[in-house]
Amino acid sequence: MNNTEQQFLNDLDNKLWKAADQLRANLDAANYKHVVLGLIFLKYVSDAFEERQEQLLELFQTDTDDNIYFMPRDDYGSDADYQQALNEELELLDYYREANVFWVPKAARWNTLKVKAVLPIGSVIWQDDAGADVKLRSVSWLIDNALEEIEKSNTKLKGILNRISQYQLDNDKLIGLINTFSDTSFTKPVFSGEQLNLHSKDILGHVYEYFLGQFALAEGKQGGQYYTPKSIVTLIVEMLQPYSGRVYDPAMGSGGFFVSSDKFIEEHAKEQHYDAEEQKKHISVYGQESNPTTWKLAAMNMAIRGIDFNFGKKNADSFTDDQHPDLRADFVMANPPFNIKDWWSESLADDVRWQYGTPPKGNANFAWLQHMLHHLAPTGSLALLLANGSMSSNTSGEGEIRQRLVEADLVECMVALPGQLFTNTQIPACIWYLTKDKANGLVLNEKKRDRRNEFLFIDARNLGFMRDRVLRDFTSDDIAKIADTFHAWQGNNHYEDIPGFCKSATLDEIKKHDFVLTPGRYIGAADQEDDGEPFSEKMARLTAQLSEQFAESDRLEAQIRRNFRGLGYEC
């Protein structure tokens, strides 16, 4: 993305967020996100629909040998007849479904919302199928009606669009939001006099993602349940490189890993001179989420980006109600809640997923890990964010499970992360990378080497920068440094151990550390720069400096005692 496009998106983010933030006086972030994200979704489907209409209209009027859509003007008696025929043809549902565009009924189109929302309450806005007058009840009712009409016409969206009437918002505030979105060009945008090469899907997808992040910040701990920091998601995707196959996230939140996988394909398709849209056909997305609200957010996120998805028949617990029992995925990625205590059910006692040991009832970390392994294809790879304790804990059998995973040669790489990366927890975290096939494998047409009984440790705790007083973030260079190190090690491509950052260890070394997988155990301290001062001279200088500081401390202590005595106190 060039600087002009980035500036356009930044300005757009600020403009729309400022408009949306006006709702904060009436609703908390956990609720008003549904109003705003619902409007973003309506704007997207309507823009995509109109874009398809424009394409069809051009096809209907363009006479070429291979154009099966062409409608000759001479076949109609008058211009009015011809125009009516064009309008009727534009309303045929199949034209939109063949282009993977959601059908938007007239009552749900953005222009309908814009025009009808400003009418006085009680105005007749249209007639129903029986010819009866339909009157405007409220702007929130108008929006809910649009969402309902879209769900009726698109089975893929059934049950995922959140209604907003329950929040009892002022009509004027909703009209203001509608007008703000209406005043923004999402199709063929122009910025600083320059036509931008951004499509409606790209822009609204970006806005949706930006708003999810902003809402997560506003909600704090609660927001972390559906939002993983973008840089962490990008890091995991860049390391796993999910270019084709089945991608699965059993704790998907709002679907960030799927969005990042989609972007990964687009970026690397450019580098490899592939057709990105064609390559995306080789990716299948599977997810699961227990929270019903978050499940809907994820489905909307996929719909806006045009990503086909299978999130199961409903929101459900991945442990007790697995929506994809037969799935064996090529890539599995997840950021489940850390150290869940109340996950256990007696129905899980002899579950087939606990191949390496029954997880402790008071902590779900190794349950998530084994659930993901169970769903991993024979040549698949997975990445899992967990609390740091998972690398060293020996309580309730966790040490034995970790040992069995290492001895089965499933663990490929451990990455220790810096603190303050997450909005919802300050618990230090790490990333587990596991694979069922360390002997070979291909990624982006590059062969991996045989890595059996070898393990890579990366300590990234010193990377990143403080984005504000609370949150740390990774730069693109930080992400590239970690990912490139991993790929160099996998392919034996000029990999070298770097003290303080990375170390390739053997099974024997891990045994010596009692199967503890904390990177700091193996990597050691970073090399210190030589300042040119001989050791003996440095020690003499520092010893003299310390003696001076001790003497100064004694002098100050004596002075303080004299001052107290002068006040009549002994100390």
Side-chain angles (χ1 to χ4, degrees):
M1 192 176 296
N2 62 42
N3 290 335
T4 304
E5 291 170 343
Q6 190 63 61
Q7 185 61 50
F8 165 77
L9 291 176
N10 290 341
D11 288 358
L12 179 63
D13 291 339
N14 293 332
K15 171 186 174 182
L16 296 181
W17 180 253
K18 185 177 179 180
D21 212 32
Q22 294 176 11
L23 297 178
R24 188 181 292 197
N26 302 76
L27 294 170
D28 61 28
N31 289 327
Y32 83 86
K33 71 168 176 281
H34 299 301
V35 179
V36 177
L37 295 176
L39 281 173
I40 291 174
F41 182 80
L42 283 174
K43 179 62 173 166
Y44 163 70
V45 294
S46 191
D47 278 11
F49 183 84
E50 289 178 9
E51 194 171 24
R52 178 59 176 163
Q53 277 196 325
E54 290 177 8
Q55 294 170 356
L56 288 169
L57 192 57
E58 184 177 347
L59 286 169
F60 294 156
Q61 297 173 313
T62 303
D63 185 10
T64 59
D65 291 339
D66 59 349
N67 184 9
I68 61 173
Y69 299 92
F70 178 58
M71 298 171 60
R73 166 65 183 81
D74 295 341
D75 290 353
Y76 302 89
S78 66
D79 288 343
D81 292 338
Y82 180 55
Q83 191 60 50
Q84 182 179 348
L86 286 175
N87 292 338
E88 290 174 355
E89 197 74 10
L90 286 172
E91 295 297 321
L92 294 181
L93 184 146
D94 288 343
Y95 287 136
Y96 301 89
R97 288 189 174 166
E98 71 181 9
N100 199 27
V101 171
F102 290 114
W103 169 257
V104 183
K106 289 182 179 179
R109 293 173 194 172
W110 190 261
N111 194 56
T112 302
L113 291 182
K114 182 182 176 182
V115 172
K116 304 297 184 185
V118 297
L119 295 175
I121 301 302
S123 300
V124 176
I125 51 178
W126 58 67
Q127 292 180 322
D128 63 20
D129 293 338
D133 290 343
V134 176
K135 297 180 180 180
L136 180 65
R137 304 175 195 172
S138 66
V139 179
S140 58
W141 169 84
L142 185 68
I143 294 169
D144 280 355
N145 183 74
L147 294 168
E148 186 172 340
E149 289 295 318
I150 288 173
E151 279 196 356
K152 284 180 184 176
S153 304
N154 302 275
T155 54
K156 191 78 173 176
L157 300 176
K158 187 171 178 58
I160 72 168
L161 303 180
N162 214 55
R163 308 298 190 262
I164 71 166
S165 292
Q166 59 185 306
Y167 304 121
Q168 300 179 334
L169 283 164
D170 292 341
N171 290 327
D172 288 344
K173 289 192 182 303
L174 290 173
I175 290 170
L177 267 180
I178 291 171
N179 288 336
T180 299
F181 280 107
S182 300
D183 292 341
T184 303
S185 175
F186 296 104
T187 305
K188 300 175 182 176
V190 175
F191 185 73
S192 297
E194 180 181 337
Q195 180 75 53
L196 304 183
N197 187 29
L198 290 172
H199 299 291
S200 176
K201 180 183 74 172
D202 302 320
I203 299 170
L204 284 160
H206 165 87
V207 170
Y208 192 92
E209 187 177 5
Y210 172 79
F211 270 53
L212 282 174
Q214 291 298 106
F215 285 127
L217 287 172
E219 292 180 62
K221 185 174 181 178
Q222 190 72 20
Q225 294 183 4
Y226 61 81
Y227 185 79
T228 302
K230 185 178 177 181
S231 62
I232 302 301
V233 173
T234 303
L235 171 62
I236 286 176
V237 169
E238 286 291 333
M239 291 181 76
L240 281 188
Q241 299 180 304
Y243 204 60
S244 65
R246 293 149 297 186
V247 180
Y248 172 54
D249 183 348
M252 67 183 179
S254 56
F257 282 114
F258 303 132
V259 171
S260 195
S261 297
D262 195 61
K263 291 180 181 176
F264 171 84
I265 291 174
E266 290 179 356
E267 290 302 314
H268 287 269
K270 293 176 186 175
E271 295 172 9
Q272 304 291 330
H273 304 293
Y274 292 155
D275 182 332
E277 295 305 317
E278 185 63 32
Q279 185 61 39
K280 288 178 187 179
K281 295 177 182 177
H282 300 285
I283 283 281
S284 303
V285 164
Y286 299 84
Q288 184 155 349
E289 172 59 44
S290 60
N291 184 293
T293 299
T294 306
W295 187 77
K296 292 178 180 180
L297 288 178
M300 287 171 62
N301 203 2
M302 299 302 102
I304 281 180
R305 295 185 174 276
I307 300 174
D308 195 24
F309 62 93
N310 182 343
F311 291 166
K313 296 179 179 179
K314 59 180 180 177
N315 60 287
D317 184 284
S318 290
F319 297 131
T320 58
D321 191 4
D322 192 344
Q323 294 288 293
H324 309 286
D326 300 321
L327 174 65
R328 296 299 178 267
D330 301 286
F331 301 96
V332 185
M333 299 173 274
N335 173 28
F338 298 162
N339 303 325
I340 299 178
K341 292 181 171 59
D342 57 351
W343 71 281
W344 180 258
S345 165
E346 289 306 318
S347 64
L348 301 172
D350 298 311
D351 199 285
V352 67
R353 289 170 287 187
W354 317 145
Q355 187 176 349
Y356 301 94
T358 301
K361 297 179 181 180
N363 193 316
N365 288 344
F366 283 92
W368 284 114
L369 203 154
Q370 292 191 84
H371 173 83
M372 292 169 68
L373 273 172
H374 174 75
H375 282 290
L376 196 62
T379 58
S381 297
L382 71 83
L384 174 62
L385 277 157
L386 285 178
N388 272 1
S390 63
M391 298 188 288
S392 58
S393 172
N394 287 315
T395 59
S396 304
E398 288 186 336
E400 287 85 350
I401 296 174
R402 188 171 56 251
Q403 177 176 338
R404 293 182 191 119
L405 292 170
V406 171
E407 290 178 333
D409 210 13
L410 293 166
V411 180
E412 184 164 32
C413 178
M414 301 296 301
V415 178
L417 297 172
Q420 297 178 267
L421 285 172
F422 301 92
T423 59
N424 62 326
T425 180
Q426 294 302 310
I427 297 174
C430 61
I431 309 175
W432 289 65
Y433 289 90
L434 289 83
T435 183
K436 287 188 175 180
D437 183 11
K438 290 168 76 173
N440 50 59
L442 280 172
V443 173
L444 300 181
N445 298 321
E446 293 184 8
K447 182 110 171 46
K448 297 179 184 177
R449 67 183 179 85
D450 188 337
R451 307 169 313 284
R452 283 175 288 188
N453 292 323
E454 294 182 33
F455 308 82
L456 179 64
F457 293 92
I458 296 176
D459 190 343
R461 290 177 297 172
N462 293 323
L463 298 182
F465 67 99
M466 293 305 296
R467 196 171 75 190
D468 52 38
R469 291 183 302 169
V470 179
L471 287 175
R472 180 177 288 272
D473 207 349
F474 280 142
T475 66
S476 56
D477 288 342
D478 294 330
I479 293 170
K481 181 178 182 180
I482 299 169
D484 290 349
T485 298
F486 182 51
H487 298 150
W489 176 82
Q490 285 183 315
N492 200 20
N493 183 22
H494 307 299
Y495 169 82
E496 291 183 2
D497 289 343
I498 301 175
F501 178 66
C502 62
K503 162 75 174 177
S504 182
T506 64
L507 179 59
D508 288 338
E509 289 177 275
I510 293 179
K511 286 179 179 178
K512 289 177 183 177
H513 289 282
D514 295 322
F515 297 93
V516 169
L517 298 179
T518 306
R521 291 280 189 103
Y522 304 89
I523 289 169
D527 291 335
Q528 299 296 315
E529 289 187 18
D530 186 1
D531 57 10
E533 185 178 11
F535 177 77
S536 58
E537 294 179 13
K538 181 182 287 189
M539 281 301 295
R541 176 176 59 79
L542 293 175
T543 301
Q545 185 178 338
L546 185 62
S547 297
E548 292 174 4
Q549 290 171 343
F550 280 151
E552 178 65 10
S553 174
D554 292 340
R555 187 188 69 77
L556 291 172
E557 182 181 353
Q559 181 64 49
I560 291 170
R561 289 180 183 278
R562 284 195 297 273
N563 291 343
F564 268 97
R565 282 196 294 271
L567 295 171
Y569 296 97
E570 287 292 333
C571 63

